[in-house]
Amino acid sequence: MTKAYQIIGADRPSRFLITCDHATNRVPDDIGSLGISAADMRRHIAFDPGAAGVTRALAAALDAPAILSDFSRLVIDPNRGADDPTLVMKLYDGTLIPANRHVTPAQIAQRKATLYDPYHDAYAKLAARRPDTVIVAVHSFTPCLHGRPPRPWHIGILHAPQDGRLSARLLARLHAEPDLCIGDNEPYLGHLPGDAIDRHALQMGRHNTLIELRNDLIVDAAAQTRWAQRLAPLLLAALTDLEKESPNG
């Protein structure tokens, strides 16, 4: 059976659930080559470099479960709605994806059934393990897109208009850190209809935030652990701030 996800610490007691939608650049054997170079497969177009390591370390620091995708976003993107036209990308940051250029509806349906749906089913089950789950999605972004200005932010916090409560408190905590350049819905806007946070947090009324780290800052395990250990107490404090201000949610 094709692997769609990895779960770490399913029985950990924390109310936090740490997620990584773009954890790996793995292409399942039944898909075969996507037709792009190994160098392109190591780029941010195929996954979020460093995000998986941060996810694992953050989950450990919070004694929380984590779920990580086990397929490249170029095969099918689990952080898109099922009807999103970018669910299977044909062109990404200047790179044409040959295997996706003429992808058929049947091929998309197969990828959805074997990868996208099992990931979201497992995600939903983990999120439902307790009524007060808080979802923290971990992503990374490239320091510079082709032909665009460099991105100065060390970290961005993305949030949707429907519910930015936890993100606002986390941003306040991060802005108190004098050495950081913080993005508020930067380097891009927060969410799309039907994406992972919309599906598992916003539609379910769960506290949530999405953390984007610049990927040149999390290139190795030591850096990933440092960021996770820095973020863990800030997340705990932000949640405490929120619940003190709004004890009924």
Side-chain angles (χ1 to χ4, degrees):
M1 181 177 179
T2 301
K3 289 176 63 180
Y5 58 87
Q6 179 184 11
I7 292 174
I8 298 168
D11 297 327
R12 289 174 179 168
S14 173
R15 62 185 291 196
F16 283 100
L17 170 59
I18 316 302
T19 72
C20 191
D21 299 321
H22 300 145
T24 180
N25 59 359
R26 190 182 77 88
V27 178
D29 291 341
D30 59 339
I31 301 295
S33 171
L34 295 178
I36 65 176
S37 69
D40 273 331
M41 285 301 299
R42 292 192 293 268
R43 294 176 60 217
H44 70 99
I45 64 171
F47 71 126
D48 283 356
V54 174
T55 297
R56 294 186 182 97
L58 183 59
L62 292 169
D63 202 16
I67 183 168
L68 302 90
S69 67
D70 201 17
F71 53 93
S72 172
R73 68 195 298 173
L74 293 181
V75 176
I76 190 167
D77 193 335
N79 195 36
R80 294 291 185 270
D83 59 352
D84 191 302
T86 64
L87 184 64
V88 175
M89 291 289 284
K90 300 180 179 182
L91 177 69
Y92 197 170
D93 194 21
T95 296
L96 181 69
I97 318 303
N100 294 346
R101 188 176 181 185
H102 302 296
V103 68
T104 67
Q107 288 171 324
I108 294 173
Q110 177 67 13
R111 297 181 193 186
K112 185 173 180 295
T114 58
L115 298 168
Y116 180 98
D117 290 342
Y119 174 74
H120 282 289
D121 290 346
Y123 189 148
K125 184 176 179 180
L126 271 180
R129 77 198 191 288
R130 52 184 295 168
D132 58 352
T133 292
V134 178
I135 295 177
V136 178
V138 178
H139 292 255
S140 70
F141 64 93
T142 184
C144 189
L145 290 169
H146 284 313
R148 303 285 184 88
R151 292 162 156 177
W153 307 279
H154 300 111
I155 183 171
I157 303 301
L158 308 190
H159 49 92
Q162 301 97 302
D163 184 4
R165 293 172 295 170
L166 181 59
S167 294
R169 276 69 176 188
L170 181 57
L171 280 164
R173 290 280 177 172
L174 285 165
H175 280 302
E177 304 280 307
D179 60 326
L180 295 181
C181 179
I182 310 298
D184 181 351
N185 272 341
E186 297 282 0
Y188 27 72
L189 295 177
H191 298 286
L192 297 168
D195 69 11
I197 286 288
D198 183 33
R199 179 171 179 167
H200 298 288
L202 298 176
Q203 293 181 25
M204 308 301 288
R206 295 179 176 123
H207 290 314
N208 66 89
T209 192
L210 192 154
I211 296 170
E212 288 270 4
L213 289 159
R214 207 175 70 209
N215 66 30
D216 62 327
L217 303 177
I218 50 172
V219 294
D220 57 32
Q224 293 156 13
T225 298
R226 282 196 302 272
W227 271 100
Q229 292 179 344
R230 187 172 189 175
L231 286 166
L234 296 175
L235 281 161
L236 288 165
L239 183 60
T240 298
D241 294 342
L242 171 59
E243 297 195 327
K244 282 181 177 176
E245 296 169 26
S246 306
N248 295 319

